[in-house]
Amino acid sequence: MKQNILLKEKSVALLLDPDKASGESLKRILNSASECKTDFIMVGGSLTFSSIDTLIDRTRELCDIPVVLFPGNLLQLTRKADKILLLSLISGRNPELLIGNHVIAAPFLKDIREKLIPVGYILISCGMKTSVEYISQTEAIPSDKTDIAVATALAGEMLGLKMIYLEAGSGASKHIPVELINAVHENISIPLTVGGGIRSGSEVRNIFSAGADLIILGNSCERNPELLADACRIRDEFRRSGKTT
Ligand code: 1GP
């Protein structure tokens, strides 16, 4: 079982929304996640009504895939996850999401710092305004401003962040353009994560080909249960071929 999210290796994560993932549907999706050897289960969301801890407990009962917390805000912090994304929203200029929240969270995270993955979180505008953009009160980088995305990712790496996450937003009408993903990939040496609006196996293939290391799938897996298995099959093809891009 893969444990290290920072390996530059093609990987697939399933993002579970605590408000949607429960009961039989959670059982079903975690069953298929185990069968196709999904690398990580991510939990979190921009705005949640239900308990993250309950979802993590239930996930652990149902599968042994590592759980990664993707906290949408301070209220979602929990010690229960195996890893915690310490997100800095570097595409925005909201000081709370660049340092303010981190200061508040630091005493809580002090004893579990080995779980933290410092991530440069970059929102790319791919059509409609997404929840994450509204809730974070930041402006996403336009998807045709590749140079801005590259410079932002580079700055994140130079600041010592350990991963870049290019985010179109959950349920985005389009995923991030492959040209932008490829340009960021060509310019950074830390792992590159891509998520938001990915709906088909062919999109997964194109995004891996463009240089993504980790692909995050959320919404579409509910509507299309085959997507997760397809993505993992494509991941395995890339791993077998030894291709890193
Ligand atoms: C959201 O990138 C993730 O943060 C997943 O997005 O739900 O659109 O797959 P989707």
Side-chain angles (χ1 to χ4, degrees), residues 15 20 42 44-46 70 121 132 165-173 193-199 216-223 227:
L15 174 65
K20 294 185 191 153
M42 296 187 42
S46 316
F70 174 45
Y121 191 44
V132 58
Y165 181 170
L166 295 176
E167 170 75 279
S170 194
S173 49
T193 293
V194 177
I198 303 169
R199 290 186 171 77
I216 300 184
L217 300 173
N219 276 287
S220 301
C221 296
E222 288 154 35
R223 282 190 297 274
L227 176 62

Side-chain angles (χ1 to χ4, degrees), residues 102-113:
H102 309 70
V103 172
I104 292 167
F108 177 80
L109 297 172
K110 184 170 157 279
D111 317 335
I112 48 166
R113 62 184 87 177

Side-chain angles (χ1 to χ4, degrees), residues 34 39 43 49 55 77 92 114-115 125 147 149 180 193 218 221 241:
S34 297
D39 298 284
V43 293
F49 286 73
L55 176 59
L77 284 183
E114 74 288 348
K115 292 190 179 197
S125 170
D147 51 348
L180 187 149
T193 293
C221 296
S241 73

Side-chain angles (χ1 to χ4, degrees), residues 42-192:
M42 296 187 42
V43 293
S46 316
L47 179 68
T48 53
F49 286 73
S50 312
S51 156
I52 297 258
D53 278 355
T54 308
L55 176 59
I56 295 179
D57 288 343
R58 193 73 187 116
T59 300
R60 288 212 200 291
E61 282 162 26
L62 294 168
C63 74
D64 60 0
I65 302 171
V67 177
V68 179
L69 179 69
F70 174 45
N73 56 57
L74 287 169
L75 293 173
Q76 293 177 17
L77 284 183
T78 171
R79 292 162 185 269
K80 289 193 179 220
D82 296 299
K83 295 285 174 195
I84 298 170
L85 302 187
L86 185 66
L87 301 168
S88 291
L89 184 49
I90 57 176
S91 53
R93 299 295 179 270
N94 178 342
E96 296 308 319
L97 304 178
L98 288 164
I99 182 65
N101 284 351
H102 309 70
V103 172
I104 292 167
F108 177 80
L109 297 172
K110 184 170 157 279
D111 317 335
I112 48 166
R113 62 184 87 177
E114 74 288 348
K115 292 190 179 197
L116 302 176
I117 314 283
V119 175
Y121 191 44
I122 299 179
L123 304 185
I124 306 291
S125 170
C126 294
M128 68 205 186
K129 187 160 184 156
T130 56
S131 303
V132 58
E133 218 180 323
Y134 180 81
I135 294 283
S136 67
Q137 291 291 294
T138 67
E139 195 177 338
I141 297 173
S143 62
D144 60 342
K145 302 289 183 206
T146 302
D147 51 348
I148 299 179
V150 167
T152 306
L154 270 172
E157 177 169 7
M158 289 168 183
L159 281 166
L161 299 172
K162 298 287 185 270
M163 176 188 279
I164 294 297
Y165 181 170
L166 295 176
E167 170 75 279
S170 194
S173 49
K174 287 180 280 180
H175 64 72
I176 293 172
V178 288
E179 299 73 22
L180 187 149
I181 297 169
N182 190 245
V184 170
H185 161 77
E186 294 286 333
N187 280 279
I188 60 170
S189 62
I190 53 179
L192 178 59

